[in-house]
């Protein structure tokens, strides 16, 4: 019952993501059904071929030896196809070829859908997080953001592909079972019941896999956070000779991360081993029964053996797919929660009147703000002041006194807990956030540069700037002096976060 409810919940959560249409899923299922159809036909076509050879290729002997021979020969006559060994062989090869051809098409289409889901989820997560409020974005670490937009999205898309492969495998087993049931209904029923009981008896390993999968998701986030933060602080470690300390930390984290990943493989391998051994044992018993008690002829024994041997890897595959689903399921819940939470914290960018930038003054009235949830760490407490127009106003204070917080309040990156801010005599809450931010210029004290050319970084907010405008801005800011000395000048790539520039060059370029 719990497994059923968990499966329904997984389907429900996946549907909420809205990254793959029902029409596309039905299309893929139909392709899978066609693959199974031709697979079953190729297996079924093997028995008349063998029995026709046993009958010395004599049609009368063949009809007399089989309970379906008359119907099959009449069908061939209806299609004007000669009932001969070459024609039976060609039909068998045709079914096999069609099965392989459609299977290739099914693999490509499934993979195409999986990659599209991963791509769409990555874009959706990036968009949803970036459009959220500042408080929510601050709650996500840089490494975690990378994991969400890449690894967790990929694993969530793999979950969809695994569901389809699971369905394909079930249909394949059903097709084989149908053929076996025609040959030996009682033995087939007993074999299927035994295999189903065996698969469900592995539920302990499934639970352990799900638990390990949750741990892997948690450790993956910590691992990526650690790697991202440490690479950003590499200068600090070199100055303090702390590189070896950080190596020990990442070794421990990497060992834990790899250990739980190995646990998933271990649980999967053990359950596959048990199923394979028991299934082979059953195969031997059933073959002995078929010879000694059911008097099967060579064709039936051959067909039964081929199908049973092919069923064994399918049974272990079913078990492996169940383990894969439960190990990747935590990624689906992570993505679903991220999209839901970021959507709940989305900024309303266009709501309000348009701010045109004709500022008379900026006024703070009784403004208070605290960062933590309980609001006991107050940064700004009942602030009142006026910034006059057409003048330079400097805000000076100790570190942590709230200077950056004041600046973040103006473009509504954050909002005051109490009090109001007015521009042109209007409360900034009345302006749309987008129009307000479009009229505010900002120079950060942090080195906010990205991997690209100097031209790309200068023209980030105005991507269609002309060369003369970029050069004029460079002259005014004082960066043209060192740009002219660089290879490629304005086309020089500064590296990630401007690593190829000195500290002073970064500040001037910003």
């Amino acid at each position: 019952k719990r497994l059923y409810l968990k499966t329904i919940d997984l389907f429900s959560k996946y549907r909420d993501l809205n990254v793959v249409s029902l029409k596309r899923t039905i299309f893929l299922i139909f392709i899978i059904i066609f693959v199974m159809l031709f697979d079953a036909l190729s297996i079924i076509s093997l028995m008349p071929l063998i029995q026709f050879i046993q009958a010395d290729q004599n049609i009368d002997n063949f009809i007399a030896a089989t309970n379906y021979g008359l119907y099959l020969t009449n069908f061939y006559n209806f299609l004007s196809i000669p009932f001969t060994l070459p024609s039976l062989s060609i039909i068998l090869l045709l079914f096999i070829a069609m099965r392989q051809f459609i299977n290739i098409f099914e693999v490509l289409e499934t993979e195409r859908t999986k990659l599209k889901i991963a791509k769409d989820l990555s874009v959706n997560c990036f968009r949803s997080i970036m459009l959220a409020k500042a408080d929510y974005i601050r709650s996500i670490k840089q490494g975690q953001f990378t994991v969400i937009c890449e690894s967790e999205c990929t694993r969530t898309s793999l979950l969809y592909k695994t569901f389809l492969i699971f369905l394909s495998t079930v249909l394949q087993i059903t097709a084989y079972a149908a053929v076996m049931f025609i040959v030996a209904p009682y033995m087939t029923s007993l074999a299927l019941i035994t295999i189903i009981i065996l698969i469900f008896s592995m539920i302990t390993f499934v639970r352990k896999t799900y638990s390990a999968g949750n741990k892997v998701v948690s450790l993956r986030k910590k691992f990526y956070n650690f790697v991202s933060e440490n690479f950003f602080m590499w200068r600090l470690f070199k100055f303090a000779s702390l590189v070896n300390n950080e190596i020990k930390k990442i070794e421990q984290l990497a060992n834990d991360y790899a250990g739980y990943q190995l646990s998933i493989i271990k649980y999967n391998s053990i359950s596959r081993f048990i199923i394979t051994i028991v299934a082979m044992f059953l195969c031997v018993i059933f073959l002995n029964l078929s010879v000694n008690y059911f008097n099967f002829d060579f064709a039936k024994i051959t067909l039964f053996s081929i199908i049973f041997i092919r069923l064994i890897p399918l049974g272990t595959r079913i078990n492996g797919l169940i383990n894969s689903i439960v190990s990747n399921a935590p990624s689906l819940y992570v993505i679903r929660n991220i999209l839901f939470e970021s959507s709940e914290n989305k900024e309303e960018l266009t709501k309000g009147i348009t701010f045109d930038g004709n500022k008379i003054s900026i006024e703070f009235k009784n403004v208070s703000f605290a960062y933590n949830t309980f609001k006991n760490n107050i940064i700004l407490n009942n602030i009142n002041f006026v910034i006059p127009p057409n003048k330079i106003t400097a805000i000076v204070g100790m570190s942590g006194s709230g200077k950056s917080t004041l600046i973040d309040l103006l473009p509504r990156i954050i909002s005051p807990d109490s009090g109001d801010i007015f521009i042109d005599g209007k409360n900034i809450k009345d302006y749309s956030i987008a129009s307000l931010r479009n009229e505010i210029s900002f120079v950060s004290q942090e080195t906010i540069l990205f991997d690209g050319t100097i031209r790309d970084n200068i023209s980030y907010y105005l991507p269609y700037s002309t060369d003369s405008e970029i050069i004029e801005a460079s002259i005014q800011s004082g960066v043209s002096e060192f740009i002219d000395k660089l290879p490629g000048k304005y086309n020089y790539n500064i590296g990630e976060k401007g690593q190829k520039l000195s500290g002073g060059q970064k500040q001037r370029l910003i």
Side-chain angles (χ1 to χ4, degrees):
K1 182 180 177 181
R2 289 208 315 236
L3 185 63
Y4 168 76
L5 292 175
K6 198 72 178 176
T7 304
I8 295 299
D9 187 56
L10 278 175
F11 277 110
S12 175
K13 292 291 187 294
Y14 221 109
R15 182 190 60 200
D16 292 343
L17 296 179
N18 198 28
V19 286
V20 60
S21 66
L22 179 62
K23 183 179 178 181
R24 178 68 179 175
T25 303
I26 292 172
F27 168 71
L28 291 173
I29 290 173
F30 267 110
I31 297 175
I32 291 170
I33 290 172
F34 272 108
V35 172
M36 296 308 103
L37 176 64
F38 280 102
D39 193 51
L41 288 172
S42 62
I43 293 294
I44 292 172
S45 300
L46 184 64
M47 191 162 72
L49 180 67
I50 296 172
Q51 290 183 319
F52 190 61
I53 294 172
Q54 280 186 308
D56 297 325
Q57 302 182 45
N58 184 289
I59 295 177
D60 293 331
N61 292 341
F62 173 75
I63 293 173
T66 60
N67 55 2
Y68 61 87
L70 182 62
Y71 301 106
L72 186 62
T73 53
N74 287 337
F75 181 70
Y76 269 68
N77 291 332
F78 175 76
L79 296 177
S80 300
I81 300 174
F83 195 84
T84 60
L85 185 62
S87 63
L88 287 170
S89 302
I90 290 170
I91 293 295
L92 173 62
L93 292 173
L94 182 63
F95 285 146
I96 293 172
M98 286 299 296
R99 194 265 185 204
Q100 295 302 320
F101 174 77
I102 299 175
N103 184 60
I104 291 171
F105 182 69
E106 182 255 328
V107 168
L108 290 174
E109 288 302 308
T110 302
E111 191 66 24
R112 189 196 312 276
T113 306
K114 188 205 85 169
L115 293 172
K116 184 180 182 300
I117 290 171
K119 178 199 70 175
D120 290 347
L121 282 177
S122 295
V123 173
N124 290 348
C125 286
F126 183 90
R127 180 195 298 114
S128 191
I129 292 171
M130 286 299 164
L131 290 175
K133 296 174 184 175
D135 286 345
Y136 181 76
I137 295 176
R138 286 194 183 100
S139 71
I140 299 175
K141 294 183 178 181
Q142 185 175 337
Q144 181 186 359
F145 181 67
T146 304
V147 171
I148 290 167
C149 292
E150 195 275 324
S151 181
E152 305 303 351
C153 289
T154 300
R155 289 173 181 273
T156 303
S157 70
L158 183 61
L159 197 58
Y160 178 84
K161 180 182 176 181
T162 307
F163 272 126
L164 287 177
I165 297 173
F166 181 84
L167 176 63
S168 171
T169 307
V170 169
L171 289 175
Q172 195 170 358
I173 290 173
T174 304
Y176 286 162
V179 176
M180 288 176 66
F181 194 82
I182 296 171
V183 177
Y186 296 113
M187 282 208 307
T188 301
S189 300
L190 181 61
L192 287 176
I193 291 170
T194 306
I195 290 172
I196 290 169
I197 292 172
L198 189 61
I199 290 173
F200 274 93
S201 69
M202 299 293 106
I203 197 70
T204 301
F205 294 105
V206 171
R207 289 199 190 100
K208 289 182 177 181
T209 301
Y210 182 75
S211 177
N214 274 318
K215 275 288 186 182
V216 165
V217 168
S218 176
L219 287 168
R220 183 162 52 238
K221 180 174 68 175
K222 290 181 182 178
F223 182 81
Y224 275 79
N225 283 339
F226 184 89
V227 170
S228 177
E229 289 174 358
N230 277 259
F231 185 73
F232 181 70
M233 297 188 296
W234 65 270
R235 281 190 177 87
L236 175 65
F237 301 144
K238 284 186 175 292
F239 269 114
S241 299
L242 294 172
V243 175
N244 288 333
N245 289 357
E246 298 307 310
I247 290 173
K248 289 179 182 178
K249 291 178 185 177
I250 197 171
E251 279 180 347
Q252 181 60 50
L253 196 56
N255 283 337
D256 293 341
Y257 184 29
Y260 280 103
Q261 287 178 305
L262 185 62
S263 295
I264 293 173
I265 297 171
K266 181 180 72 175
Y267 299 141
N268 188 24
S269 299
I270 291 172
S271 56
R272 286 166 66 97
F273 171 78
I274 294 171
I275 290 173
T276 302
I277 293 298
V278 174
M280 285 301 297
F281 179 73
L282 290 173
C283 181
V284 172
I285 291 176
F286 291 154
L287 284 175
N288 276 275
L289 289 173
S290 66
V291 173
N292 296 324
Y293 296 98
F294 293 97
N295 298 319
F296 282 4
D297 60 23
F298 178 74
K300 286 185 177 181
I301 292 173
T302 303
L303 183 65
F304 193 86
S305 301
I306 290 172
I307 294 175
F308 207 102
I309 289 170
R310 293 185 72 171
L311 274 175
I312 292 172
L314 288 176
T316 58
R317 189 182 189 186
I318 282 282
N319 180 74
L321 290 168
I322 292 172
N323 281 305
S324 179
I325 288 170
V326 298
S327 65
N328 288 320
S331 295
L332 169 61
Y333 289 105
V334 167
I335 295 298
R336 174 67 180 81
N337 291 339
I338 284 290
L339 290 174
F340 177 77
E341 291 169 2
S342 56
S343 178
E344 288 288 300
N345 287 276
K346 185 179 180 181
E347 284 186 318
E348 291 287 346
L349 295 174
T350 57
K351 184 180 180 180
I353 61 176
T354 302
F355 179 67
D356 57 15
N358 293 324
K359 303 174 288 293
I360 298 173
S361 64
I362 300 172
E363 184 177 3
F364 280 63
K365 282 188 177 181
N366 304 319
V367 173
S368 296
F369 180 84
Y371 276 106
N372 64 3
T373 307
F374 300 104
K375 305 299 180 184
N376 54 10
N377 183 22
I378 299 174
I379 303 298
L380 302 176
N381 188 13
N382 203 30
I383 297 294
N384 290 274
F385 66 91
V386 176
I387 299 176
N390 303 316
K391 290 184 179 181
I392 295 175
T393 299
I395 301 171
V396 182
M398 294 174 62
S399 176
S401 61
K403 302 184 298 296
S404 298
T405 303
L406 275 177
I407 299 303
D408 284 349
L409 286 167
L410 285 173
R412 294 177 62 186
I413 299 293
I414 55 178
S415 298
D417 298 325
S418 62
D420 298 287
I421 304 169
F422 298 88
I423 301 179
D424 284 353
K426 292 188 178 69
N427 196 314
I428 62 171
K429 293 178 182 177
D430 297 333
Y431 295 117
S432 71
I433 293 175
S435 65
L436 186 65
R437 291 175 185 172
N438 282 340
E439 295 297 331
I440 297 176
S441 297
F442 173 68
V443 181
S444 173
Q445 64 181 347
E446 299 173 7
T447 52
I448 304 174
L449 295 169
F450 57 87
D451 189 3
T453 66
I454 287 178
R455 182 190 304 277
D456 294 336
N457 277 271
I458 292 175
S459 63
Y460 180 76
Y461 284 103
L462 295 171
Y464 302 108
S465 304
T466 63
D467 288 348
S468 59
E469 288 173 332
I470 291 173
I471 292 171
E472 178 60 27
S474 302
I475 293 171
Q476 288 189 26
S477 60
V479 295
S480 60
E481 298 174 11
F482 76 81
I483 290 175
D484 289 336
K485 297 176 183 178
L486 294 172
K489 297 184 178 180
Y490 288 89
N491 292 320
Y492 179 74
N493 190 297
I494 63 173
E496 186 181 8
K497 298 181 181 178
Q499 288 188 78
K500 296 180 183 178
L501 301 177
S502 70
Q505 290 172 336
K506 290 179 188 178
Q507 291 290 354
R508 285 201 282 171
L509 184 57
I510 291 164

